[in-house]
Amino acid sequence: MQGATNNVLTFVLNPDVPIPAGDSITIAGLSNAATADSSTLAVGGAAATEFSSQGDWSQGTGTLVLTVDAMGAGLSAATAYSVTITLENAA
């Protein structure tokens, strides 16, 4: 899309309880983005590998689902995990 601009969004997740490998975290309310649905939306940031460097993005609902890497140890409680995604602005 010509002239489209992107927003890089940073989320810092700091769970109160451990989150086991294979469990998911849903971030909702990301409305008005033009980025098409993607089950492999690129996830960056220091903790990207904790989520296999990808997330499941739904444009229609404005939700991002991050699944904790099944091969990892899971997320520890009281630890900050920083991830970024890029979404295209709606026209």
Side-chain angles (χ1 to χ4, degrees), residues 57-73:
W57 164 249
S58 174
Q59 179 186 20
T61 61
T63 57
L64 174 68
V65 178
L66 298 171
T67 301
V68 180
D69 187 349
M71 301 303 286

Side-chain angles (χ1 to χ4, degrees), residues 1 5 7 12-13 16 20 26 29-31 33 36 39 47 50-52 58 60 67 76 81 85 87:
M1 179 179 192
T5 57
N7 286 321
V12 178
L13 310 170
D16 291 333
T26 299
L30 305 173
S31 58
S39 61
E50 299 289 347
F51 304 99
S52 302
S58 174
T67 301
S76 299
Y81 297 90
I85 62 167
L87 296 179

Side-chain angles (χ1 to χ4, degrees), residues 37-43 53-57:
D37 291 354
S38 174
S39 61
T40 57
L41 183 74
V43 172
S53 299
Q54 64 185 25
D56 189 356
W57 164 249

